Amino acid sequence: PLAQYFGILVCWAVVWNLFRHLKYSPERAFMLYLRCATVSAIVGVYQQITYLLQIEALYDIRWLTVGAAGLDVSGPFLRVPSLFTEPSYFAAFLMPALYFAILRLSGASRRLSIGRSVLFILALMCTFSTIGYIGLVLCVLFAIRLSLRNMLLGLSLIAALLSIAGSNPAISSRMSSIPSALQADLQGDENLSALINGLNLSIAKNMLSDRPLTGMGLGAYRVYSLEYLAEFLAGNEALTSKVNEMFEQLTLADGGSMYLRLPTELGIGGLLLLAWLIHRNSRPHVPQPHRDIATAALLFILVFSIRSGQLIRFDIIFFCSLYSLIWLQNAPVAARRPPPIPIHRKAVND
């Protein structure tokens, strides 16, 4: 845990030093992100095109990333990872840009062009990521204002997502494995992603039941997860054999999701305290364009937390810092008491 705390402090220091060079401007920081997102989206669409043309030397660019997973296909299409290790991380990274893309298509913002907005949506579609599609639905819900045009736009995007999800084996296999994962009735033949999440869910439930109020302590998931996994697998030889085969792919260090890691480490008491702090320090009146940037950063945090429980990643620290920067800049200024008005008395002659 001490190494984690030190790593987190170093990453936060690096991000805030970057903000210092950007003169603590949320607009400049977000424009820097949009440039990176545009490059990543272009690379992702390029990968899909070259994969369909079967030019392996052009779409297989894993040599550019450290720790990249193997390429995954979904029917005749490639699940594009772009410049990231996995398609789901790429999909999460696109969330803030997608939020502004929906705002642009609905006529609520002109920060992006129509072309870039379509590019971001197309790049997300190419990931075939369940988490990414859930994130796009959240972007629609956060961005759409009630009007006939916006409702038709939102319904069209959601209908397209449902159509892709229903006909796509990568997504449908995950969805069909959810019931067994939720019931902890794992057999080992489930979709790989659903199996890993189901194991982490069972570990998290057992940890939380042992220490529901205080939790296991921040950073403790990686310490105790292997012990709880062994207890869960006891007596199930088939599942144990499957887990041993895929042991390197398990996410026992962070629970595979912030929504599983934080409850077990903080407990109910810690979560309530965190919720109170967030509510106590909320900023209901944030002016534009800071409001939309803060919402975009929040959407990234919400979607990324589904995919990962990692605390030492540049992207999660960047958007947490960006949200904090906006929060600090819009803090209410305490009303100062005006100085007393001096009273000038006329001199009295003796």
Side-chain angles (χ1 to χ4, degrees), residues 81-104:
S82 185
L83 301 173
F84 294 78
T85 56
E86 295 180 15
S88 54
Y89 284 127
F90 175 40
F93 182 73
L94 289 174
M95 284 304 116
L98 286 166
Y99 173 70
F100 274 89
I102 302 300
L103 287 178
R104 179 65 180 92

Side-chain angles (χ1 to χ4, degrees), residues 34-54:
L34 282 178
R35 295 189 191 100
C36 296
T38 301
V39 172
S40 300
I42 292 172
V43 172
V45 174
Y46 162 85
Q47 279 184 304
Q48 191 67 263
I49 294 172
T50 53
Y51 176 78
L52 294 174
L53 296 175
Q54 291 298 304

Side-chain angles (χ1 to χ4, degrees), residues 313-336:
R313 274 186 67 97
F314 183 84
D315 44 8
I316 185 65
I317 293 177
F318 177 87
F319 284 107
C320 285
S321 298
L322 180 59
Y323 191 87
S324 301
L325 178 63
I326 296 173
W327 177 83
L328 290 171
Q329 290 186 351
N330 291 278
V333 179
R336 297 180 178 178

Side-chain angles (χ1 to χ4, degrees), residues 1-10 217-219 312:
L2 290 177
Q4 292 185 63
Y5 300 152
F6 179 75
I8 292 171
L9 288 175
V10 170
L218 191 61
I312 309 177

